[in-house]
Amino acid sequence: MPAAHPPAPGRAASLDPESWDEVRALGHRMLDDMIDYVAGIRERPVWQPLPDGLRAELRAHLPDEPVGIEAAYADFRRLVEPYATGNTHPRFLGWVHGGGNPAAMLGEILAAGLNANLGGRDHAPIEVERQVVRWAASALGLPETAGGLILTGSSMANFIGVLCARRRALGADVRRLGLGEARLVAYASEGAHACLPRAMDMAGIGSDALRRVPVTADRRMDLAALGRLIEADLAAGFTPFLIAATAGTVDSGAVDDLAAVAGIAREHGLWFHVDGAFGAFVALSQRLRPLVAGISEADSVAFDFHKWGQVQYDAGCVLVRNQQHLADTFAQNVDYLQHETRGLAGNAPWPCDLGPELSRGFRALKVWMTLKTYGAEGLGRVVEACCDRARELVARVDADPRLELLAPAPLNVVCFRVRDEHDADTLNHDIVVALQESGIAAPSTTRIGGRLAIRAAFVNHRTRPEDVDILVDAVLSLAGALRGATTG
Ligand SMILES: *Cc1c(COP(=O)(O)O)cnc(C)c1O
């Protein structure tokens, strides 16, 4: 169908403005507004629900007529900005969310300006990604042969780890023929993240083939049980191929004994993967590094820059001990992606030879800006400060007979609750919902041994000691109010 309003001759269909001055002025205003937003984040509610009327506007159909960038920006300020998740706020303590940082925020603008595609070809942005990957590999003590990719997050990174392990176990044929008769099985602790069974599902192996190894009282993988499961699977004709240890479980921050798991994996010839989504960053702290000893022995590691690394979403990473495993798992030979030794098609291997994506944005730049701006030391201090906040919370819980700790807190995640002889699960659940709706603080919940816990994960570089007190005081006062409401 011909366009109803063909563009004026000479203007073609370009989306660029007639005058860049207006874009420049608006851009500067946006930047000022956003810097004010982040600088003033502490004074805002952590979270507030999106009102129904505004939600309805966000579900309206695509406009036919342009509204222009000024109006689009006004809508952003009115509909979106006040109702974000809240993880930039120092008292967002739910799940495991990073706070972001100014250097990465500005880095995002730079990356958007370049609009680079990091699938491949010969350009500096690819070198930036490679540099970030090398820095990460060396921080974790992986050898020079290591390679990796910047990805959306650890869900994708864990999936890639599973695919590399599958390819190693079954050889090149698995890529053409699929699993065939193979009965692969893998192992991860009961505390492992849900993206691991999903990775097994997506890899065609099936989530039941991920054996969930029981945990000991400190919520780490029970290594004796792991050994028994492997023996039982071998005796039953299964093919063990992978152990996925966790460095920092989501529920309590437990770190499996990585060195011991590495030994067991080696003994049985299994791929040793580490899900270090947030815990891998412990390697940046001199003081805490011993907790992740053994991570350097991993065949692959998944972790996120967007959690403890404080980089803006999204930015995860997979590292593989030997980059060749990524190439073996993903490289293809296609005519329209031929590599050359010179020109723009040089610089092999390309990221698209090492992973599942062809077009890829320049996520690496915000990571690179962050690592350069703050250095390994600056980020290591953030990790230590978060663990200090966890210690402070544990101390308050231990000191108060109204509160109890539900799991050891070796890292930055604290599971606690208000004691209640009637129905502690309901009370603590209601406290968390009320706390989130109050805008004061936003922890989340989990279950530890079947008991509902208030779960506070300290992942944000902005969180101060007084924020821990504000959290505990609010929990206790809401407990009183909720009890008053049910008995009164
Ligand atoms: C967050 C998390 C994941 C998933 O990572 P995404 O970046 O959200 O995809 C996996 N494992 C652990 C331990 C996590 O904390």
Side-chain angles (χ1 to χ4, degrees):
M1 217 170 56
H5 304 284
R11 288 276 300 133
S14 172
L15 303 179
D16 284 339
E18 257 167 285
S19 155
W20 282 97
D21 290 344
E22 278 166 39
V23 172
R24 188 186 308 277
L26 178 64
H28 285 212
R29 198 167 91 223
M30 285 177 172
L31 189 55
D32 279 340
D33 289 346
M34 229 43 223
I35 287 172
D36 287 344
Y37 172 88
V38 178
I41 195 72
R42 185 170 273 284
E43 315 316 321
R44 291 168 169 267
V46 179
W47 174 81
Q48 52 186 336
L50 175 63
D52 288 344
L54 300 187
R55 197 184 297 269
E57 281 192 64
L58 286 170
R59 292 177 180 183
H61 61 74
L62 170 70
D64 284 327
E65 294 295 320
V67 300
I69 190 167
E70 285 275 358
Y73 180 53
D75 280 351
F76 165 82
R77 294 218 75 191
R78 190 172 57 86
L79 298 171
V80 183
E81 185 193 285
Y83 308 105
T85 334
N87 52 293
T88 48
H89 195 289
R91 286 191 299 280
F92 186 99
L93 305 169
W95 303 277
V96 181
H97 277 41
N101 75 81
M105 174 174 139
L106 299 178
E108 292 251 62
I109 299 179
L110 306 182
L114 289 185
N115 189 26
N117 180 349
L118 278 79
R121 292 154 287 275
D122 192 6
H123 51 111
I126 296 245
E127 298 300 337
V128 170
E129 177 162 351
R130 289 178 182 154
Q131 185 165 44
V132 165
V133 164
R134 276 196 308 274
W135 285 343
S138 90
L140 297 186
L142 291 170
E144 289 283 310
T145 53
L149 293 169
I150 306 295
L151 302 159
T152 48
S154 287
S155 299
M156 191 50 83
N158 281 308
F159 181 40
I160 289 177
V162 169
L163 292 175
C164 287
R166 187 188 75 153
R167 160 69 180 80
R168 215 245 332 226
L170 298 182
D173 279 355
V174 68
R175 295 186 55 193
R176 287 183 305 117
L177 305 175
L179 290 177
E181 301 296 303
R183 297 169 75 203
L184 297 180
V185 285
Y187 307 85
S189 93
E190 279 171 358
H193 193 272
C195 70
L196 279 163
R198 183 157 60 196
M200 293 284 286
D201 163 10
M202 293 194 297
I205 305 166
S207 55
D208 281 359
L210 182 68
R211 310 294 198 221
R212 302 310 288 262
V213 185
V215 292
T216 50
D218 54 7
R219 308 194 66 76
R220 305 166 88 194
M221 189 188 287
D222 179 338
L223 300 178
L226 170 65
R228 286 193 297 274
L229 283 168
I230 294 173
E231 295 304 335
D233 279 327
L234 287 170
F238 289 100
T239 304
F241 78 112
L242 159 72
I243 307 177
T246 303
T249 61
V250 268
D251 62 354
S252 71
V255 181
D256 292 335
D257 184 340
L258 303 180
V261 175
I264 295 171
R266 221 176 4 246
E267 179 191 327
H268 292 277
L270 312 184
W271 185 273
F272 172 42
H273 174 79
V274 176
D275 177 6
F278 63 96
F281 271 82
V282 163
L284 295 185
S285 156
Q286 297 277 9
R287 186 179 100 203
L288 299 168
R289 187 175 301 159
L291 285 171
V292 294
I295 200 167
S296 59
E297 294 178 55
D299 291 304
S300 53
V301 182
F303 70 93
D304 283 321
F305 287 106
H306 57 217
K307 290 176 175 170
W308 243 351
Q310 309 299 327
V311 174
Q312 265 72 351
Y313 285 88
D314 42 27
C317 185
V318 66
L319 297 174
V320 173
R321 181 168 210 83
N322 186 337
Q323 176 169 286
Q324 190 56 40
H325 285 294
L326 288 173
D328 289 349
T329 306
F330 293 102
Q332 293 171 305
N333 190 2
V334 285
D335 289 337
Y336 51 83
L337 291 175
Q338 282 310 304
H339 302 341
E340 305 285 347
T341 50
R342 292 170 46 205
L344 196 50
N347 199 21
W350 294 349
C352 69
D353 304 317
L354 304 175
E357 297 167 329
L358 178 54
S359 295
R360 309 170 66 251
F362 196 5
R363 287 191 188 97
L365 187 62
K366 60 191 173 186
V367 179
W368 191 77
M369 291 289 290
T370 301
L371 294 174
K372 278 172 110 60
T373 301
Y374 308 105
E377 256 179 49
L379 295 173
R381 274 197 300 274
V382 169
V383 167
E384 290 175 5
C386 289
C387 293
D388 291 345
R389 296 297 85 81
R391 298 285 75 68
E392 291 152 14
L393 176 53
V394 168
R396 276 216 58 181
V397 170
D398 283 345
D400 194 320
R402 292 168 294 179
L403 300 172
E404 66 178 319
L405 196 66
L406 293 194
L411 231 50
N412 59 330
V413 184
V414 181
C415 292
F416 71 107
R417 70 176 181 176
V418 177
R419 294 180 199 269
D420 185 77
E421 60 218 27
H422 296 300
D423 186 356
D425 283 3
T426 305
L427 176 67
N428 285 280
H429 168 269
D430 293 351
I431 289 171
V432 168
V433 174
L435 204 48
Q436 291 173 357
E437 288 179 346
S438 75
I440 296 172
S444 57
T445 61
T446 190
R447 282 186 180 275
I448 301 288
R451 304 159 80 206
L452 188 123
I454 301 177
R455 179 179 161 290
F458 296 94
V459 196
N460 187 320
H461 60 98
R462 302 189 173 102
T463 311
R464 301 175 186 157
E466 63 257 36
D467 293 311
V468 174
D469 290 323
I470 293 171
L471 167 74
V472 176
D473 294 345
V475 163
L476 290 170
S477 102
L478 281 167
L482 287 164
R483 279 198 185 109
T486 49
T487 54

